[in-house]
Amino acid sequence: MTTIAPDSVASFLDGAEESIVIGGQRRSALSGRTVQTIDPGNGRALAKIACGGVDDVDAAVQSARGAQQEWAALKPGARSRALGELARLVEVHAEELAPLETLDNGK
């Protein structure tokens, strides 16, 4: 079976940035390492992605701890609005996200 993906998905996979996001900032892995992500359905490479190491994990944990304090300080209404906005963005980009997730799972 051939997977048909929107042009934006094919473009994303062809030019996927070899980066990670920590604290809202996109950057290369500190180690500079990358790995290929593979479509388990056919064994073909999908994209080269950054491979975070111990230092990246430490930075992500530190960032997450700070973000958790900010999140905890928000009132329930503000949290609700933030989660609603996340849901809205997933819906807006569903036609791009669904094929990416499907490819990543080999279907």
Side-chain angles (χ1 to χ4, degrees), residues 82-94 96-97:
L83 292 173
E85 178 63 8
L86 174 61
R88 186 190 71 74
L89 289 169
V90 169
E91 288 176 359
V92 166
H93 295 283
E96 296 164 317
L97 294 170

Side-chain angles (χ1 to χ4, degrees), residues 9-88:
V9 172
S11 175
F12 173 80
L13 292 175
D14 287 341
E17 294 186 40
E18 299 166 9
S19 61
I20 56 179
V21 178
I22 297 176
Q25 301 296 314
R26 184 174 294 280
R27 62 174 177 80
S28 297
L30 292 172
S31 67
R33 291 181 44 220
T34 61
V35 295
Q36 289 282 343
T37 183
I38 305 296
D39 178 340
N42 61 25
R44 291 188 207 144
L46 291 172
K48 190 188 303 185
I49 59 174
C51 182
V54 172
D55 292 335
D56 298 299
V57 172
D58 288 345
V61 168
Q62 183 178 353
S63 177
R65 285 183 176 143
Q68 191 283 328
Q69 291 174 1
E70 291 176 29
W71 181 258
L74 290 177
K75 295 185 181 206
R79 289 186 203 178
S80 177
R81 286 187 295 280
L83 292 173
E85 178 63 8
L86 174 61
R88 186 190 71 74

Side-chain angles (χ1 to χ4, degrees), residues 1-4 38-42 46 98-107:
M1 174 168 71
T2 301
T3 302
I4 305 296
I38 305 296
D39 178 340
N42 61 25
L46 291 172
L100 284 170
E101 188 60 25
T102 301
L103 286 170
D104 198 37
N105 283 286
K107 301 287 181 182

